[in-house]
Each structure stands twice: as C-alpha cells, then as structure tokens.
Amino acid sequence: MTISYNSSLQKATFFLTGFQGLEDLHGWISIPFCFIYLTVIVGNLTILHVIRTDVTLHEPMYYFLAMLALTDLGLCLSTLPTVLGIFWFDAREIGIPACFTQLFFIHTLSLVESSVLLSMSLDRYVAICNPLRYSTVLTPARIVKMGLSSMLRSALLILPLPFLLKRFQYCHSHVLAHAYCLHLEIMKLACSSIIVNHIYGLFVVACTVGVDSLLIFLSYALILRTVLSIASRQERLRALNTCVSHICAVLLFYIPMIGLSLVHRFGEHLPRIVHLLMSYVYLLVPPLMNPIVYSIKTKQIRIRIAKKFEFVKAFRGFR
C-alpha cells in the first residue's frame, strides 16, 4: 500500500493506531489514560509550584527536581493530543510536519530526562563525597548552564532525524503501530535503505543514554565507597536516604527503556498488545511516578505539600 497524498495540500499523511481490535472500547480505555495524564500534569505542576514558592527549597537538589518535573510535563503533553484524539474522536490521520514535530519533542525530551538524571546524580555525588564544596561547585549559574546544555545537546542530536526521514519515499503501509510518532517506526516504512538512520540512531543513543547511564553508575559507585567509609551507621543510612528518590527515578526511566528495547529486539513472537503496552509504560510511567516518589520519599517536599493542603482546608473552613 502506498502512502496517501492530499490533493489540495500535497502532503503525505500517516495513520496512528490505538488499541487495534478494541476500537469499540476506546471510550472506556480513555478513562485510565485521562486519569494518568491528569495525575502527571497535577503532580508535576504541584512539585514545580512548591519549589517555586518555598524559598527554603531554592537549593541545587530541588532545582534539578524542577527540571525533571518540567521535562516529564513536556513529555506527557507531547503525546496527549494524539493519544486522546484517537480514543475520543478516532482522529487517526496526522500530517508529516505534525508527525515529525511530535517525534522531535518526544525523542528530545527523553534525552533531556536522561541528562537531568545524570545532573541529579552529580548533585548527590558532590553533596555526599565533597559536602564542603557543595555550594561553591553547584552555583545557580552553573545549574542553569547544566540545564541549558542538556536541552541543547538533546535538541541538536535529535534535529537531524526529521530531515533524515524527510528524504525518504514511503511506499510501505502508512499505518503506524502507536498513537504517536517515533523515529524507529517511521523509518521502517521507507522504500529505500535506512542504514544511515540506523547508524545515526545508535550513535545518538550511545553518546547520550549510554554515556549518561555509565556516569550515573560511576557516581553511585563513588558515593557507595564514601558512604561505607563513614563510621556511624546512622550517618551512613542518612546519606543513603538522600539518594533513594533519585535511584527510584533512574530505575523508573531505564527499566522501561531496557524492557521496550528487549521487546522490540527479541519479542517478535509476543502479542502486539505487549509491544503497545510497553511503549506506553516507557512514555507515561516515569512522568506519572516521579512526582509521587519524590512526594513520598523526600521529607521537605512532603512537608511543603502537606502544608499547602492544610492551608487550602483552613481557607475553605474560614469561608
């Protein structure tokens, strides 16, 4: 089947897919997705609001947490229109410009999240291994530079992907397997050789997620060595406790990514719904769980959020 062209706009279109074979249930399926998206938006906005309004949280650790919340929020919003559009309105058709724009933001924000997690591990490394220099090493200006460099690195590495895809003629089925656009899936629809896209995609993953994960592992190896050298058991536990939230965020990011890669590589015999669910887990679980984990495991955030709710209750009681 060849890709269809709109005679008036002369633009190619792709067709997104929800849960194939369950189209009659899309209305019901949309309910948990709406709940997930709403929780992601409210949770991450709450984290951002608490950090912005509480001066005591204006520290490097919470600045990085705010970056993580912004990234998760952006990643959530980049898939929300097409996912809910399919479930509610059966809006499956998407033009190439819109598809490539969505692809750019999904992949860019995924790489930004990896960079932010690396920055947070460096924050924990300095705080535990070199606490006396913490405030001089992680200055506000340096944190801003780290955030901007994360965004710039990710955007520049992903920017060539739409142009690499644009040069192709698409003569295979133009139906995508997901409710959003991904580079790996679109390039498989091309008629010509995709070896350049394969090589560049592997290069991007290796020099971002690969390097980031290696440095995160190294930072925690150094942190563990420092913690084990502390004489007091209570101090050791206190030091490790400051890392628990970040370790959970790292696992929430990398485990779904590894799981999705394994399913794509070795799970051809698995039902299609397994591939579909793994892709949703990869994109939605980290933004959903990160604010919950940090709200539960980070005492300062938990206390500030509780105070906000107490204030709202008191205000309603006063009225």
Side-chain angles (χ1 to χ4, degrees):
M1 184 185 294
T2 57
I3 194 166
S4 62
Y5 284 86
N6 184 303
S7 58
S8 60
L9 298 177
Q10 294 297 308
K11 288 183 179 179
T13 57
F14 293 114
F15 288 89
L16 303 170
T17 304
F19 285 85
Q20 204 167 26
L22 299 174
E23 286 82 2
D24 293 340
L25 300 176
H26 274 180
W28 291 103
I29 294 173
S30 71
I31 295 174
F33 276 88
C34 289
F35 175 76
I36 290 171
Y37 278 118
L38 183 63
T39 305
V40 169
I41 293 169
V42 172
N44 285 288
L45 284 178
T46 300
I47 294 290
L48 289 169
H49 174 71
V50 167
I51 293 173
R52 187 183 69 85
T53 55
D54 197 316
V55 181
T56 62
L57 298 181
H58 291 180
E59 297 178 2
M61 175 182 173
Y62 301 106
Y63 289 144
F64 289 125
L65 177 56
M67 291 182 196
L68 185 66
L70 276 173
T71 305
D72 284 339
L73 198 57
L75 195 57
C76 163
L77 294 176
S78 65
T79 60
L80 184 150
T82 53
V83 172
L84 295 186
I86 286 177
F87 290 149
W88 288 349
F89 311 111
D90 196 31
R92 297 179 58 218
E93 187 173 347
I94 184 170
I96 276 187
C99 185
F100 287 179
T101 301
Q102 185 184 50
L103 173 152
F104 172 79
F105 280 106
I106 289 174
H107 289 300
T108 297
L109 290 169
S110 294
L111 297 188
V112 170
E113 180 142 355
S114 177
S115 299
V116 172
L117 290 173
L118 173 60
S119 299
M120 296 173 84
S121 73
L122 295 176
D123 168 77
R124 292 299 83 208
Y125 166 75
V126 176
I128 293 173
C129 300
N130 207 344
L132 296 179
R133 297 188 59 195
Y134 183 70
S135 59
T136 57
V137 171
L138 293 173
T139 61
R142 187 163 291 165
I143 292 169
V144 170
K145 289 178 182 177
M146 291 171 71
L148 291 176
S149 64
S150 296
M151 288 191 293
L152 191 61
R153 181 189 75 160
S154 304
L156 290 177
L157 285 171
I158 296 300
L159 188 60
L161 292 184
F163 295 99
L164 288 173
L165 292 171
K166 191 177 180 181
R167 64 194 175 92
F168 290 135
Q169 292 291 326
Y170 297 98
C171 57
H172 298 297
S173 171
H174 54 284
V175 178
L176 301 176
H178 300 95
Y180 42 81
C181 298
L182 298 174
H183 171 253
L184 180 64
E185 188 177 2
I186 293 173
M187 74 177 183
K188 289 180 179 179
L189 305 181
C191 311
S192 52
S193 172
I194 56 174
I195 187 65
V196 174
N197 291 63
H198 263 304
I199 293 173
Y200 185 73
L202 290 172
F203 165 76
V204 170
V205 171
C207 67
T208 54
V209 176
V211 172
D212 292 348
S213 59
L214 185 63
L215 291 175
I216 290 171
F217 177 80
L218 179 62
S219 67
Y220 271 101
L222 296 173
I223 287 172
L224 187 60
R225 187 182 69 174
T226 301
V227 169
L228 292 176
S229 66
I230 299 174
S232 170
R233 181 176 180 273
Q234 186 176 358
E235 290 298 321
R236 286 200 301 268
L237 292 175
R238 185 180 299 173
L240 286 174
N241 192 50
T242 64
C243 302
V244 170
S245 299
H246 178 253
I247 292 172
C248 290
V250 170
L251 294 176
L252 285 169
F253 179 76
Y254 283 103
I255 289 178
M257 176 183 285
I258 294 169
L260 184 61
S261 300
L262 291 175
V263 166
H264 275 302
R265 299 289 179 186
F266 309 109
E268 294 180 0
H269 63 285
L270 294 173
R272 186 182 169 278
I273 194 168
V274 175
H275 293 255
L276 200 60
L277 289 174
M278 281 303 301
S279 68
Y280 283 120
V281 166
Y282 167 64
L283 285 176
L284 295 179
V285 167
L288 172 68
M289 294 304 299
N290 282 336
I292 295 173
V293 168
Y294 274 93
S295 298
I296 294 172
K297 298 301 295 181
T298 306
K299 183 179 178 181
Q300 292 84 346
I301 295 289
R302 185 172 67 248
I303 291 172
R304 298 319 186 274
I305 291 175
K307 285 184 177 179
K308 295 288 182 183
F309 280 110
E310 287 174 5
F311 174 78
V312 171
K313 287 181 180 179
F315 180 74
R316 285 179 178 175
F318 178 76
R319 292 176 63 185

